[in-house]
Amino acid sequence: MDNTSVFTLNEIIKATGGKLCGEGYDLDTPIVSGACNDTRKINPDNLFVAIKDVRDGHDFIPNAIEGGATAVLISDTKCLPLTIPAILVEDTVKALGLLASYYRTRQNFKVVGVTGSVGKTSTREIIATALRSGVKVHSTPSNQNNEIGMPLTILSAPSDTDVLVLEMGMRLLGEIDYLTNIAKPDIALITNIGCSHIGRLGSRENILKAKTEILNGLQDNGLFLVNGDDNYLEGFIKSYDNKNIRTGSVSAEGRHVTGTTFEACNIVISSEGKGTSFDLGVNSDGEMISTLEDVKISCVGICHVRNCLFALYIAKELGLNLEGVKEALKTYTVLPGRGNVVKTKRYTIVDDAYNASFESMRAAFENINAMNAKGKTIRKILALGCILELGDFASDIHKDVGTELAKYNFNRIYATGDNKEDILSGYSLVKGDDGKVILTESTDEMRDKLMEEIDDGDIILFKGSNAFGLQKMAKEFTMRGNV
């Protein structure tokens, strides 16, 4: 067995409240290492978790056994008898959470919980990069941030892990409450309160309520960090009063909403999208108590600066050397589709098309506006898809996108999606009909127009919800630019 979450049958039964099916098994010798709910990814000695979803995981137990599973977690006896131990529970998803929580407590990991409307994944990744300069870190892979993915992440952590960095996502009230009570974070942070899932939750106030559920599992004397530049979080943190929880904030705008703020000063976004640098100032009750000069990252944008501030604050909290963290941050690279800058032989592609919200669109416009080659005039072109899952708020939010877009100097804007007319309407309120916004009926039409439009030396930003396929289009134009 490897050194990931090794359990005896007794431990699994105790943690999940389950009942062992079958006789003659050794209850006190380690039998499983790690857990899996997908037989295509099963490893030898795994606990297979049979989950009823679109497909019934119980039907795949023979495949799990063939793949090397040494025990199974079930909620249906139809699969019995089996040749390996089965633990019967009422709900295998909840039992998975209980087992993950047991393992987190047994190993006494330090846990950092990350949530927010926008930037969770990038923040999680930059924190993990920073902390690896001094401790052994295990973090959420890909977007495994729900009631199945997060427990599986915990159970995949090697037993010698020092810090778990866990991303927590949600679509409805109560979901982060469930996750945080499994993870029991020592440090919890919220990146921002935006409009993602507002169609389901009805208001940004409800989104704030949902995100701040992360506090429900925060350990006594834990640290709660917020983005002090976010108005909703500023209002919340100023009224938050829990003597068992310490608070802190980060800011790229000189806003001090808690006793201690990690502040970015002298921010410089380099020409041609080559990176960003800033000086760190630690402000305590209005007095600058320490600084760290010339922190550099290879990505572009104020949003990444705030992510770095979170990472530096957490590193300081955990006792790491900030000079070492500063060096580690230089190695951070942006995840695909989240603002990657690719210079081709002909032009520059900015791929920010993994997903979209009003806040991430505003950040993307701001970032590309800051990209200029010294002494050169650069044309900036935008391929824009609409934001999804906004419900009754869609029209107003897209008008706001158009109004925001008008603040920046794009030479041409191609927009597609059901609310493209709203984008044009908001844009026209500021700039009138200047002919720069072109509405297209599909991404295919947008592609054709871009092929006619793009010239050598241009910068092209691809931004929109994932369903529009703009990430794929960005890759296509990257290949074309290198021919």
Side-chain angles (χ1 to χ4, degrees):
M1 291 187 180
D2 62 25
N3 68 339
T4 2
S5 56
V6 175
F7 298 107
T8 66
L9 286 174
N10 256 339
E11 284 183 298
I12 299 171
I13 293 166
K14 176 184 175 184
T16 63
K19 176 185 175 183
L20 179 64
C21 301
E23 298 178 351
Y25 296 116
D26 183 345
L27 300 181
D28 298 312
T29 299
I31 189 171
V32 301
S33 175
C36 184
N37 70 318
D38 185 342
T39 56
R40 296 166 298 181
K41 301 175 182 177
I42 200 86
N43 290 318
D45 299 323
N46 272 176
L47 171 70
F48 178 66
V49 184
I51 294 173
K52 290 186 176 183
D53 197 1
V54 177
R55 305 176 78 177
D56 187 347
H58 295 79
D59 296 336
F60 296 89
I61 289 175
N63 304 75
I65 295 172
E66 184 179 351
T70 48
V72 295
L73 201 59
I74 63 171
S75 61
D76 192 331
T77 57
K78 70 177 183 179
C79 59
L80 298 176
L82 296 173
T83 57
I84 62 174
I87 295 93
L88 178 65
V89 296
E90 185 175 339
D91 185 325
T92 52
V93 172
K94 290 182 179 178
L96 174 66
L98 290 169
L99 186 61
S101 185
Y102 170 82
Y103 182 57
R104 177 262 182 272
T105 302
R106 188 187 80 180
Q107 299 305 124
N108 197 29
F109 301 121
K110 285 289 185 183
V111 176
V112 179
V114 179
T115 194
S117 294
V118 179
K120 294 183 294 294
T121 301
S122 297
T123 305
R124 177 201 80 209
E125 283 298 301
I126 208 163
I127 290 169
T129 299
L131 297 186
R132 287 189 180 108
S133 66
V135 293
K136 186 164 185 179
V137 177
H138 185 75
S139 67
T140 303
S142 185
N143 284 327
Q144 299 298 306
N145 61 11
N146 63 9
E147 73 278 9
I148 296 172
M150 194 200 74
L152 287 173
T153 298
I154 295 172
L155 291 169
S156 67
S159 58
D160 60 350
T161 296
D162 296 308
V163 181
L164 283 173
V165 183
L166 301 175
E167 180 181 332
M168 301 182 193
M170 49 68 63
R171 290 190 171 191
L172 296 169
L173 287 164
E175 292 179 348
I176 289 180
D177 175 73
Y178 177 75
L179 296 177
T180 190
N181 279 295
I182 292 171
K184 304 178 183 70
D186 301 280
I187 302 169
L189 71 88
I190 303 178
T191 59
N192 46 53
I193 303 299
C195 297
S196 299
H197 310 306
I198 197 168
R200 293 172 180 265
L201 289 166
S203 68
R204 289 181 74 176
E205 287 75 15
N206 277 343
I207 294 169
L208 173 67
K209 184 178 179 181
K211 296 299 182 183
T212 53
E213 287 176 359
I214 198 170
L215 290 164
N216 297 348
L218 187 59
Q219 303 276 59
D220 282 351
N221 199 39
L223 176 63
F224 177 42
L225 298 177
V226 299
N227 169 9
D229 298 331
D230 182 287
N231 292 334
Y232 280 83
L233 289 172
E234 177 187 10
F236 179 84
I237 202 73
K238 284 184 174 179
S239 63
Y240 180 69
D241 184 21
N242 184 335
K243 293 180 173 55
N244 295 320
I245 300 299
R246 294 170 295 127
T247 60
S249 58
V250 304
S251 177
E253 300 174 7
R255 296 167 68 175
H256 307 127
V257 300
T258 56
T260 300
T261 301
F262 273 45
E263 178 182 351
C265 312
N266 304 318
I267 300 170
V268 177
I269 297 177
S270 70
S271 64
E272 300 180 313
K274 292 179 180 178
T276 307
S277 65
F278 63 95
D279 297 334
L280 167 68
V282 179
N283 190 301
S284 180
D285 295 324
E287 179 182 352
M288 199 70 76
I289 58 173
S290 65
T291 57
L292 183 69
E293 294 183 350
D294 200 26
V295 180
K296 287 187 166 90
I297 50 175
S298 61
C299 41
V300 171
I302 303 300
C303 56
H304 296 297
V305 170
R306 291 193 187 93
N307 295 347
C308 283
L309 293 173
F310 278 124
L312 288 159
Y313 203 129
I314 292 167
K316 181 72 173 176
E317 168 76 5
L318 296 177
L320 274 63
N321 182 294
L322 293 192
E323 287 291 345
V325 173
K326 174 181 165 181
E327 289 302 308
L329 289 173
K330 292 179 182 177
T331 69
Y332 172 72
T333 55
V334 178
L335 294 167
R338 293 173 171 87
N340 311 68
V341 179
V342 182
K343 290 187 69 65
T344 74
K345 294 177 181 177
R346 291 187 52 208
Y347 43 70
T348 298
I349 296 290
V350 181
D351 176 8
D352 202 350
Y354 176 78
N355 221 327
S357 65
F358 173 77
E359 293 74 23
S360 69
M361 283 191 169
R362 179 172 57 192
F365 303 158
E366 180 182 69
N367 293 345
I368 198 171
N369 191 64
M371 292 172 58
N372 284 294
K374 294 177 182 177
K376 296 181 181 178
T377 300
I378 296 178
R379 289 199 331 139
K380 296 172 184 176
I381 299 167
L382 172 61
L384 185 66
C386 289
I387 308 166
L388 303 180
E389 297 186 354
L390 295 178
D392 294 339
F393 299 87
S395 179
D396 287 343
I397 289 175
H398 282 91
K399 286 177 183 176
D400 289 344
V401 169
T403 302
E404 184 70 23
L405 187 54
K407 298 176 184 177
Y408 303 97
N409 297 315
F410 286 95
N411 296 84
R412 188 78 73 207
I413 300 155
Y414 294 97
T416 192
D418 290 345
N419 292 99
K420 57 184 180 292
E421 297 279 359
D422 295 312
I423 293 173
L424 176 58
S425 174
Y427 180 92
S428 299
L429 286 174
V430 180
K431 289 201 169 180
D433 185 10
D434 62 5
K436 289 186 176 181
V437 180
I438 308 297
L439 305 184
T440 65
E441 293 303 316
S442 66
T443 51
D444 286 340
E445 182 184 349
M446 179 186 286
R447 178 190 295 106
D448 293 343
K449 290 185 179 297
L450 281 172
M451 285 181 183
E452 298 173 3
E453 177 78 39
I454 294 173
D455 201 355
D456 291 356
D458 290 348
I459 296 177
I460 308 98
L461 169 63
F462 292 85
K463 182 65 182 175
S465 289
N466 194 45
F468 289 97
L470 296 182
Q471 198 172 0
K472 181 179 178 181
M473 197 188 301
K475 291 178 182 177
E476 177 186 344
F477 276 89
T478 298
M479 293 177 62
R480 288 177 175 274
N482 284 318
V483 174

